[in-house]
Amino acid sequence: MPEAPANPMPEPQYATMEQQADTAAFGMWVFLATEILFFGGMLLAYTWLRASYPEGVAEAGRHTRIVIGSVNTLVLLTSSFTMAWAVHAAEHEQRRALVRLLAVTALLGLLFLGLKGYEYHTEWTEHLVPGLNFHEESAHAQAIELFYFLYFLLTGIHGIHVTIGIGLIVVMAVRARRGAFSSRYYTPVEVTGLYWHFVDIVWIFLYPLIYLVGRSGP
């Protein structure tokens, strides 16, 4: 496999590798800022729904699978740790550890998607999918349907982000195995780590809004 050059040269538009790395990181932060605005609009809609129909949202929240949601939260938090460890390994040219940590991170992402898919299946069998098979006898059926519309929208888009992140991590693992990174050049791994941490942080916000609502109090 080809080795990374001892003194990698920056792309022609950059004066130094440091400038190239800083530009890549800045570009990712700008991208993540736009993603925050994207998710922010949906979270604003959720806030309006919860303020307008508190009882219905609370009842809808009690239908969610809190065990699966909690396990998935632990899975993503663990994957965030392994991703951070992978960036550290890349910085110190620990190629074998880098490849393994990236592989573990990708597998944890796949586990998250698998559990989420199982959860979607149970919600389908319970007729909680708006527009397809929703059926609820509760007096708050309309609010529950709106809750699940936003639930599938938010978690579905988050799932797409997780899938993209897994793809990026696999690419980084393949490149790392081929010796593409060194202590002077590991920017792609670092930028991928920023994206993955963002995906994890979004879930940290979604977890209490989806799974904990309606589960406290009398």
Side-chain angles (χ1 to χ4, degrees):
M1 297 296 180
E3 297 289 332
N7 295 295
M9 298 299 295
E11 295 297 327
Q13 64 269 35
Y14 302 106
T16 64
M17 291 298 297
E18 290 74 16
Q19 184 186 41
Q20 180 173 323
D22 290 343
T23 303
F26 178 74
M28 176 54 74
W29 280 114
V30 171
F31 170 74
L32 295 181
T34 65
E35 290 291 282
I36 291 172
L37 294 175
F38 178 64
F39 277 99
M42 292 181 285
L43 292 175
L44 181 62
Y46 173 91
T47 302
W48 171 85
L49 177 65
R50 187 166 178 177
S52 301
Y53 304 98
E55 294 180 357
V57 170
E59 184 175 342
R62 289 190 287 270
H63 283 291
T64 58
R65 303 288 179 174
I66 190 170
V67 173
I68 296 178
S70 300
V71 171
N72 259 346
T73 301
L74 179 60
V75 167
L76 280 189
L77 288 175
T78 304
S79 74
S80 196
F81 169 75
T82 57
M83 188 69 231
W85 195 359
V87 174
H88 176 80
E91 183 180 5
H92 291 83
E93 294 192 42
Q94 299 169 348
R95 188 196 304 180
R96 183 174 298 179
L98 171 60
V99 173
R100 290 178 177 176
L101 288 164
L102 289 172
V104 170
T105 304
L107 289 173
L108 288 170
L110 289 173
L111 176 59
F112 174 90
L113 292 179
L115 289 171
K116 198 65 200 161
Y118 174 76
E119 188 177 7
Y120 281 166
H121 173 72
T122 62
E123 285 151 356
W124 172 267
T125 59
E126 293 177 0
H127 304 285
L128 292 172
V129 183
L132 295 177
N133 75 339
F134 185 85
H135 180 74
E136 178 64 49
E137 299 292 343
S138 169
H140 304 292
Q142 182 180 13
I144 294 173
E145 185 172 14
L146 287 172
F147 173 91
Y148 270 95
F149 172 79
L150 287 173
Y151 161 81
F152 282 107
L153 184 64
L154 283 163
T155 59
I157 292 175
H158 177 264
I160 292 173
H161 281 71
V162 172
T163 304
I164 293 171
I166 292 171
L168 292 173
I169 290 169
V170 170
V171 170
M172 293 303 108
V174 171
R175 293 187 63 189
R177 187 177 181 184
R178 294 175 177 174
F181 307 119
S182 68
S183 59
R184 290 203 61 207
Y185 178 70
Y186 58 94
T187 303
V189 178
E190 189 174 32
V191 171
T192 300
L194 286 176
Y195 177 86
W196 191 253
H197 294 319
F198 168 78
V199 169
D200 295 349
I201 290 171
V202 170
W203 182 257
I204 295 301
F205 278 94
L206 294 182
Y207 173 70
L209 296 178
I210 292 172
Y211 296 96
L212 302 186
V213 61
R215 297 185 186 274
S216 61

